[in-house]
Each structure stands twice: as C-alpha cells, then as structure tokens.
Amino acid sequence: GENVEQHPSTLSVQEGDSAVIKCTYSDSASNYFPWYKQELGKRPQLIIDIRSNVGEKKDQRIAVTLNKTAKHFSLHITETQPEDSAVYFCAASISRGSTLGRLYFGRGTQLTVWP
Amino acid sequence: DSGVTQTPKHLITATGQRVTLRCSPRSGDLSVYWYQQSLDQGLQFLIQYYNGEERAKGNILERFSAQQFPDLHSELNLSSLELGDSALYFCASNPPDRTDTQYFGPGTRLTVL
C-alpha cells in the first residue's frame, strides 16, 4: 500500500515567519493530497488540498505544491500567527478500484508559533 | 462544524468489554470511513462503507466490526477490548461528487482501563 512520510515532526517559528512542512509518498498512482489541521483533542480539519493535475494551489496564507516526478508535496504557511499552532497532517489518496478514497496519513507535524 | 456527527464523545470501559461507536455522515453523503488515532500508530484507516456496503478494509482487527444502515449512519463495534485499543476514533464522509474529499466528525475518545 501507500506510504506517506512527513517532516519535520516538530516545527517552532516566530510569529510572522513562514513555515514549511514536507511530505513524500510512495505510490505514483496517488492523485489526491489533502492537508489537515488538528487542534488538541479535536477533529482533523481540511485546510487545503491538491490534485495530481495541478502543481500549486494557494488559499490566502496557505499554499501547497506538488512534484509528481519526485513524489513529494509541501505545505507553506506565510505570516504565521499563534492560532496556526496545531498538528498538521498530510495525506495521500489513491482513487482507483476498491481503495477509492481511503486516506494514508503522515505522522504529523506539531507547529508552534511563538508571539 | 463539518456536519458529521459522532456519539458518544467519551467512553470509558474495562478490558474485555464491548462498545459501540456511532457515526452519522453529512446529509447527502453516502460513504463513511472509520479511522483510529493513537499516539504510537498515528491516524490509521480502519474500514469504509458506501451506501450500506463494505467498500474497503484497512488495519482493522478481527475483534472490530462495522456496518452501515439503510439511513446511512454507521456503527463501529469493538469487542474484547484491550488497553491498547484506547484511542480517538473518527469517522469521515465525503460528498458523492467529490469522492476524494473527506470531512471528519468530532471523534469518540475511548479509554480502556
């Protein structure tokens, strides 16, 4: 099956700085890559996603890039704020056959933004 | 609020017991996915149902079972509970026209003592 690796496991930045989280995946058939933000004890919340026919997507301070050749994708958060502090998960999905839709998650990145 | 509901919020039980977790997908969504989140295993896919039928199975133990009912709510049954089953259990659903996008419910925190 698919294997998703995520780095770094922890990330501390000063308010206003940028944060970058990187993920790699193993199965070239993966074609959907969402990012989730999870605050302590709460549900994973979808913040942005990208599909394999697109190289980059941006939503305000958040952007995601995808390199299909290298099989890696990254989350970029600019002008970080203390409320961005949370655990961020990347995931990959292979939309084919009986495995349609199931998400393979990375291990998460604890982002801390210091005021 | 994602529109996915889960009950109960918390569950505390003893080893060897059996519990049932309930999930209702967003209105109009036909799929339900179950995930387990623990500190050592991370977020792991358990099982998927689509319109009442099992669609895919992940790392689900034989002691665990699930079903999706005609009204599309789903139940995850965990039996012969062990300490290691303590975790957050999430369900998710996706809209029929975007079968890759999943919205998660608030989760059920299971504590096995």
Side-chain angles (χ1 to χ4, degrees):
Chain A
E2 173 65 280
N3 181 44
V4 177
E5 296 197 356
Q6 182 172 347
H7 300 280
S9 56
T10 61
L11 181 59
S12 290
V13 299
Q14 203 73 34
E15 182 178 1
D17 288 349
S18 295
V20 180
I21 302 170
K22 298 183 178 183
C23 289
T24 61
Y25 60 99
S26 61
D27 194 326
S28 55
S30 288
N31 56 7
Y32 176 66
F33 307 92
W35 286 87
Y36 286 86
K37 175 184 179 182
Q38 187 179 29
E39 295 172 357
L40 192 61
K42 302 226 171 146
R43 64 183 177 94
Q45 185 175 1
L46 179 68
I47 56 171
I48 196 167
D49 57 13
I50 192 167
R51 290 175 177 80
S52 59
N53 58 346
V54 174
E56 185 173 354
K57 184 177 177 180
K58 194 172 180 182
D59 182 4
Q60 299 183 341
R61 297 185 297 109
I62 294 173
V64 57
T65 58
L66 170 64
N67 184 327
K68 284 191 296 181
T69 304
K71 295 208 215 63
H72 69 69
F73 56 113
S74 301
L75 178 71
H76 304 252
I77 306 174
T78 58
E79 300 170 27
T80 53
Q81 301 164 5
E83 49 266 38
D84 294 330
S85 297
V87 179
Y88 290 80
F89 291 93
C90 64
S93 176
I94 305 171
S95 292
R96 70 161 181 245
S98 64
T99 61
L100 179 70
R102 63 172 290 182
L103 293 171
Y104 297 83
F105 283 91
R107 293 304 299 264
T109 296
Q110 172 69 62
L111 173 64
T112 304
V113 180
W114 300 100
Chain B
D1 185 2
S2 66
V4 179
T5 60
Q6 288 187 251
T7 56
K9 223 172 182 178
H10 303 277
L11 205 46
I12 301 174
T13 188
T15 55
Q17 295 298 305
R18 173 189 168 94
V19 296
T20 298
L21 282 51
R22 183 188 168 109
C23 166
S24 290
R26 300 178 334 146
S27 177
D29 291 357
L30 302 177
S31 276
V32 168
Y33 303 78
W34 286 98
Y35 292 87
Q36 178 194 58
Q37 185 176 34
S38 60
L39 280 173
D40 54 339
Q41 296 291 327
L43 262 166
Q44 292 231 319
F45 168 75
L46 295 177
I47 197 164
Q48 177 201 358
Y49 280 84
Y50 179 82
N51 203 19
E53 293 188 3
E54 182 185 302
R55 180 63 71 91
K57 244 179 180 175
N59 300 325
I60 187 165
L61 300 170
E62 283 191 15
R63 300 183 285 108
F64 296 0
S65 65
Q67 55 183 323
Q68 187 179 26
F69 295 86
D71 66 353
L72 300 176
H73 91 271
S74 177
E75 293 181 357
L76 180 66
N77 300 296
L78 315 176
S79 61
S80 303
L81 286 167
E82 301 175 359
L83 296 177
D85 297 328
S86 296
L88 263 169
Y89 291 84
F90 290 103
C91 76
S93 71
N94 56 16
D97 59 337
R98 291 188 68 191
T99 53
D100 48 15
T101 306
Q102 292 183 29
Y103 299 98
F104 281 73
T108 293
R109 179 173 293 281
L110 173 65
T111 303
V112 183
L113 301 174

